[in-house]
Amino acid sequence: MTALPSTGTTSAWVVERPAPIASGPLRYVERATPGPGPYDVLLSVRACGVCRTDLHLAEGDLTPREPRRTPGHEVVGEVIAAGRSVEGVGVGDRVGAAWLAGTCGQCRYCRTGRENLCPASRYTGWDIHGGFATHTLVDARYVYRLPDGWDDEDTAPLLCAGIIGYRALERAELPAGGRLGIYGFGASAHLTAQLAVSRGAEVHVVTRSPQARQLALELGAASAGSGAPPRPLDSAILFAPAGSLVPTALEALDRGGTLAIAGIHLSGIPALDYDRHLFQERSVRSVTANTREDGRAFLAEAARLRPTVRVVRYPMRRADQALADLAAGRVTGVAVLLTQ
C-alpha cells in the first residue's frame, strides 16, 4: 500500500502542563494531520474510551514522555490511509488501537511471548498521540480487526479496560469455580466481573460507590459492599489505585490465594504483617500492560460473551469534563468520547 500525504488538520486534546484536573491541564488544539509511515495506518477516530491512565497522565502521576501529548488508548477508528508495508488491514477497515503501541521484537521478553515487558515498549497516548482527537496515527501491526455488529461506543472500552482486566484475571490465577474479590468497580472491573462470572466464578465486589455496588449486582456479582467480602477469597484483583487496600485485600484471601494489582499507578503500600497478609502462601502479583495475544484472546472471548458495557457518552470536545467526572467518581461504568 502507498503512503498518502497529510489529509489536513486534526483537532486534538493535549496535556499542556500536568496538574490536578480541576485546574485545566488539557487544551484543545489544531495540528497538521501526518501521513503514515511504512507500517502505519491513519485512523479517523470514531470513539475513544476514557481510562484512569489518561487521568494519571493529565495530572502528572504518570509523567508524559513528550510535551503536549494527546491521551487516549481505547480507540475505534476507520483506516483512511495506510503505509506501503502494511498487511492485513486496508483503507475502509474498522480497527481498534489499544495501549500497547510497539515493541522491539528482538529482546528476550519479546522472543519468549512476554512483549509486555519489553524495555523498548511504546504506548498509545503516552509515547505516541492517542485517540482524544479526530485522527491518530498508529502502527498497523498493533491494531485489532473488529467484528461487524459491535457499536463503536461499546467496543472502545474493550481495548484497554477489557484487555487489561483479562490479563489481571489471568494473573490472579483464579481456580475453576473459585471465589474472586474485585476492589474498585470502574471501567475495567465491570467488564472483568462479567468475564469471571461467565467462567463460573463467585464474584465479590468491594467499592465505596452505591451506584457501582448496584451495577455489580446487576452484572452477576454474588455480593457487593464497602467492607470485607463475606467469604475467604481464592483470588482478588485490585483495580482502585489505592495502595492502602493491598493489606486489606491480602487479609481477605484464603490460603494459597493470589492478589493481582491491575493499575499502572498505585499510591503507597502500608507495611505488611507477614502472618496476617502473606503467610500460608498468599501471593501478590503486578500487572504490566498486555501482549497482543492477550488482546486477541480477550476479544475472541468477548465476542462469545458479549458483555454489557455501561457507557457514559461525551462528545470529543468535552474530554476534559469526562476526565473531571472520572476523577470525582461521577462515572459509573466507562466514559466514552464520540466524534459524531
Side-chain angles (χ1 to χ4, degrees):
M1 300 178 185
T2 303
L4 300 181
S6 168
T7 58
T9 60
T10 290
S11 301
W13 288 94
V14 299
V15 180
E16 189 72 45
R17 183 179 293 108
I21 198 67
S23 67
L26 272 67
R27 295 288 181 274
Y28 200 56
V29 302
E30 300 287 325
R31 62 171 178 249
T33 305
Y39 293 98
D40 295 333
V41 286
L42 179 64
L43 304 184
S44 174
V45 176
R46 295 163 61 158
C48 186
V50 179
C51 178
R52 189 163 290 275
T53 300
D54 302 316
L55 180 62
H56 292 320
L57 184 71
E59 296 196 317
D61 296 322
L62 192 64
T63 304
R65 294 277 176 85
E66 295 289 341
R68 310 191 88 217
R69 181 62 73 218
T70 295
H73 54 273
E74 299 177 330
V75 188
V76 175
E78 179 182 343
V79 177
I80 59 173
R84 62 180 179 274
S85 299
V86 169
E87 298 179 352
V89 296
V91 172
D93 288 341
R94 190 177 73 122
V95 301
W99 178 233
L100 186 68
T103 58
C104 74
Q106 303 297 320
C107 70
R108 65 190 181 100
Y109 302 105
C110 288
R111 295 196 309 268
T112 56
R114 298 177 294 163
E115 64 181 4
N116 61 305
L117 302 179
C118 174
S121 54
R122 303 170 71 233
Y123 299 97
T124 310
W126 193 16
D127 295 288
I128 65 172
H129 288 311
F132 284 20
T134 54
H135 303 85
T136 194
L137 195 66
V138 295
D139 188 326
R141 295 168 292 186
Y142 292 82
V143 302
Y144 299 96
R145 293 291 298 267
L146 299 176
D148 295 331
W150 289 18
D151 292 340
D152 295 336
E153 62 192 61
D154 290 341
T155 303
L158 303 181
L159 295 164
C160 177
I163 294 172
I164 294 299
Y166 170 89
R167 185 168 184 86
L169 186 57
E170 295 296 297
R171 293 280 290 167
E173 296 187 335
L174 180 67
R179 296 187 294 271
L180 174 70
I182 292 180
Y183 292 80
F185 203 72
S188 192
H190 94 289
L191 295 171
T192 308
Q194 295 176 73
L195 188 62
V197 168
S198 75
R199 294 180 177 184
E202 178 183 306
V203 174
H204 299 275
V205 171
V206 179
T207 176
R208 294 178 298 180
S209 166
Q211 294 84 3
R213 292 198 293 269
Q214 180 61 40
L215 177 60
L217 294 173
E218 291 173 6
L219 296 177
S223 75
S226 57
R231 303 177 67 188
L233 304 172
D234 297 301
S235 302
I237 304 173
L238 176 59
F239 286 107
S244 60
L245 290 176
V246 170
T248 301
L250 284 169
E251 196 166 357
L253 290 177
D254 208 345
R255 298 178 179 217
T258 299
L259 169 65
I261 301 175
I264 192 173
H265 169 77
L266 191 72
S267 59
I269 299 173
L272 299 178
D273 179 272
Y274 180 67
D275 186 58
R276 288 174 57 197
H277 303 129
L278 295 172
F279 192 53
Q280 302 294 350
E281 299 194 349
R282 299 180 183 94
S283 301
V284 184
R285 311 184 79 181
S286 66
V287 179
T288 300
N290 64 275
T291 66
R292 283 171 286 180
E293 182 53 36
D294 290 329
R296 289 187 286 266
F298 168 70
L299 290 173
E301 193 163 351
R304 296 189 295 270
L305 173 61
R306 296 304 297 263
T308 297
V309 185
R310 180 65 63 89
V311 172
V312 182
R313 301 164 186 81
Y314 295 82
M316 184 64 70
R317 287 297 298 259
R318 297 194 63 201
D320 54 347
Q321 184 62 54
L323 284 174
D325 289 346
L326 180 62
R330 292 189 291 264
V331 176
T332 300
V334 57
V336 176
L337 306 177
L338 301 170
T339 55
Q340 296 181 359

